[in-house]
Amino acid sequence: MDTEQEQTTAPPPAASSAAVRKRRLEAFRHRPTPRELLTIWLPTLALVIAAFWTTYHFIQPAPPDHLTITTGAADGAYYQYAVRYREILARDGVRLDIRTSSGSVENLARLAKDPAEDNSGVEAAFVQGGLGPMSRNIPLADPAAADDGPRPHSLGTVAYEALWVFTRGRKEPTRLTDLRNARLAIGPEGSGSRKVALDLLAAHGIPAASATLSPLSGRTAIDALKGGELDAIFLIAAPDAPVVRELAALPDVHPMSFANAAAIAKRFPYLTAVTLTQGVFDLQADLPPHDVQLVATRANLVVRADLHPALAYLLMEAASEVHSGAGLFHRAGEFPAAVGTDFPLATQAESYYKNGRPFLQRYLPYWLANLVQRMLLFLVPIFGVLIPVMKLLPVIVNWRRQQRINRWYGELKFLELDLDARQLTREQLDRYLKRLAEIDQAARHMRMPLDFSDRVYTLRQHIAFVQERLAALPGAPTEKTA
């Protein structure tokens, strides 16, 4: 019988033992109380999320892999510059789309358009000097349109562009007043050369209504000049522009030498007096046959104010590679430059002229430098918020837990002070003993981590001490109230 009894009282199965161990582990595992969740954990989580969200808000999106620039005529220097830019940007995986135009005025108008309304999405342009808001004498082509949105910013000036007046015939004029009754081609509407030509003609007493003006330009203007239909052509172009070289090589066609070039430059601050040296076009043919005094503007590389900073730096790199060499009117290293701009200088351009390329782009590929730069910004909330919070949070949580224990100590202290101050009746003693039993029950079920267990047991010992003191008083119940 004893054997059968032992067999019937065998140990519980392994599953039951596992359930017991699980319950024991659950008893020691601490979970935040609802009050801790509301007062500590949720505000902390909100603070960390707000820090990362704010950082993300200030992080620039990844730079696009394409860019659109507007130049001028396909046979002009602007277009040739853009072709070289396209080759340089392609090294970093950025596609440059080139759009031709009638000139700088149209380029500015394209930049001023809202990309949401204009499918072309023009983000950069070459603009001749004298058309920007910082020009003293020649305002923006359309100031009202410029006020509708952010004004374009300049990445600097990139080259001198001379005002060329090519005349036909043996007699070479030296002042614009000599062209009072001449047939002049000053470029189409929307071209920068037309705008400057009209202002200079007006300054020399030749209003637009008193001269025979033609909107011809490019190949049609050259053919008209050779055919005797025009007496002179106005154009603004770099000396290495194909159209300039072609006109300079034509027989009986001469670039006009401005006798008053210095005076024009004083009158129009965006113009600079320059000299085209004898024979510089062709030493063997001695073209030009003498020094030619000219006035020149500075070509601006202009971008939209919202152009991605990474693309702005890429354009600055391309401009440095294309324009840093010596030219017929300037020394090596003179361009690109931050001086003589007709538009506010972009922040990226200011940084580039002072410090060169951004630090990461000096040592990393373009795409990797931009990725690392954007990711580095997340170190700000990590080191500025997350790590300090992780260090401070345990202190706050432990302080909160200690406060819960101290609350019961405060009630014990109040009870002892009341006990010392007056004689307690039987009913009061009974009520206090019941309250001590409630405190002991609350302390027993207090959810605390293991490292606070000693403090909880110490609290319960102090509760028992006060219970024993009350039980020893005359008139107290013979048994503790459970």
Side-chain angles (χ1 to χ4, degrees):
M1 292 295 295
D2 293 339
T3 305
E4 294 178 0
Q5 183 67 26
E6 289 177 2
Q7 291 177 354
T8 58
T9 58
S16 299
S17 300
V20 172
R21 287 196 299 270
K22 183 177 180 181
R23 285 197 300 270
R24 289 176 179 175
L25 289 175
E26 288 291 335
F28 289 110
R29 186 178 293 120
H30 174 72
R31 291 189 180 92
T33 64
R35 183 181 293 272
E36 288 180 346
L37 287 174
L38 291 175
T39 60
I40 299 177
W41 294 100
L42 287 182
T44 301
L45 181 62
L47 176 63
V48 173
I49 293 176
F52 277 94
W53 182 87
T54 303
T55 303
Y56 177 79
H57 181 71
F58 285 100
I59 289 179
Q60 288 281 348
D65 59 356
H66 65 277
L67 177 68
T68 302
I69 189 169
T70 177
T71 58
D75 58 351
Y78 287 169
Y79 187 87
Q80 301 305 317
Y81 294 156
V83 170
R84 297 179 63 186
Y85 279 30
R86 181 169 57 190
E87 297 172 355
I88 296 171
L89 267 61
R91 302 174 194 166
D92 293 303
V94 177
R95 184 184 80 251
L96 181 65
D97 298 327
I98 305 174
R99 292 190 60 196
T100 58
S101 70
S102 60
S104 295
V105 175
E106 184 178 358
N107 290 345
L108 274 179
R110 287 177 176 177
L111 277 180
K113 289 182 179 179
D114 187 351
E117 300 176 358
D118 181 19
N119 295 329
S120 64
V122 170
E123 298 157 297
F126 290 107
V127 178
Q128 75 177 46
L131 297 180
M134 298 174 68
S135 173
R136 297 181 182 178
N137 295 86
I138 300 182
L140 277 171
D142 189 0
D147 291 338
D148 291 341
R151 289 182 175 179
H153 287 177
S154 175
L155 298 183
T157 53
V158 295
Y160 280 119
E161 292 185 301
L163 171 63
W164 304 90
V165 182
F166 284 96
T167 60
R168 179 178 176 274
R170 295 184 177 181
K171 184 178 179 180
E172 298 183 23
T174 58
R175 296 175 183 272
L176 290 180
T177 51
D178 299 334
L179 302 176
R180 185 176 300 275
N181 298 315
R183 296 167 295 176
L184 311 176
I186 61 174
E189 293 287 345
S191 64
S193 59
R194 182 182 184 90
K195 185 73 172 65
V196 175
L198 289 175
D199 284 335
L200 290 183
L201 288 172
H204 286 79
I206 308 177
S210 64
T212 304
L213 305 180
S214 169
L216 296 180
S217 65
R219 172 56 50 192
T220 55
I222 294 174
D223 293 340
L225 184 66
K226 291 192 297 184
E229 301 173 18
L230 292 174
D231 298 314
I233 296 177
F234 281 70
L235 72 150
I236 293 179
D240 53 353
V243 64
V244 172
R245 297 301 181 97
E246 180 178 355
L247 285 169
L250 292 177
D252 295 330
V253 174
H254 317 281
M256 189 179 86
S257 181
F258 289 82
N260 58 344
I264 293 175
K266 292 289 185 180
R267 182 74 178 273
F268 297 89
Y270 65 89
L271 294 174
T272 303
V274 295
T275 300
L276 185 69
T277 308
Q278 177 181 349
V280 73
F281 282 157
D282 191 332
L283 293 175
Q284 182 177 358
D286 195 28
L287 292 176
H290 54 78
D291 288 353
V292 178
Q293 303 300 318
L294 300 170
V295 289
T297 67
R298 289 182 174 91
N300 289 261
L301 177 56
V302 183
V303 298
R304 289 182 58 88
D306 56 359
L307 179 69
H308 196 285
L311 292 180
Y313 281 117
L314 271 188
L315 284 175
M316 293 294 303
E317 283 292 305
S320 296
E321 186 171 338
V322 172
H323 305 289
S324 59
L328 298 184
F329 297 145
H330 64 274
R331 303 181 302 275
E334 188 173 344
F335 292 108
V339 297
T341 61
D342 285 349
F343 302 85
L345 201 62
T347 303
Q348 295 77 28
E350 293 180 0
S351 175
Y352 186 89
Y353 289 122
K354 291 179 181 178
N355 308 313
R357 300 175 64 184
F359 176 78
L360 292 176
Q361 292 187 16
R362 300 176 193 174
Y363 306 102
L364 298 175
Y366 165 75
W367 66 269
L368 182 58
N370 284 284
L371 177 62
V372 172
Q373 183 177 7
R374 295 168 64 232
M375 293 301 101
L376 283 177
L377 287 179
F378 278 107
L379 295 179
V380 175
I382 291 176
F383 286 97
V385 177
L386 185 59
I387 292 180
V389 165
M390 291 177 64
K391 291 182 177 180
L392 186 61
L393 188 59
V395 177
I396 297 176
V397 171
N398 289 337
W399 171 83
R400 173 61 185 166
R401 291 166 180 167
Q402 186 61 50
Q403 287 296 106
R404 293 173 58 195
I405 296 176
N406 291 343
R407 185 184 64 171
W408 300 123
Y409 272 113
E411 191 161 350
L412 287 179
K413 184 65 176 176
F414 173 78
L415 192 150
E416 283 196 297
L417 290 176
D418 196 20
L419 182 63
D420 294 335
R422 60 194 178 94
Q423 186 72 27
L424 299 178
T425 65
R426 181 181 179 87
E427 291 76 11
Q428 291 174 332
L429 288 174
D430 186 58
R431 186 171 65 252
Y432 280 177
L433 285 172
K434 288 182 179 179
R435 180 55 182 162
L436 284 173
E438 292 173 357
I439 295 176
D440 182 66
Q441 187 73 7
R444 183 183 306 173
H445 295 89
M446 191 182 298
R447 295 166 63 179
M448 288 287 181
L450 288 176
D451 54 350
F452 270 74
S453 298
D454 58 337
R455 306 182 194 185
V456 175
Y457 282 113
T458 302
L459 171 63
R460 294 189 62 196
Q461 289 176 354
H462 293 162
I463 294 172
F465 170 76
V466 177
Q467 283 178 326
E468 292 175 358
R469 183 180 175 187
L470 285 174
L473 292 175
T478 57
E479 294 183 2
K480 295 182 182 179
T481 305

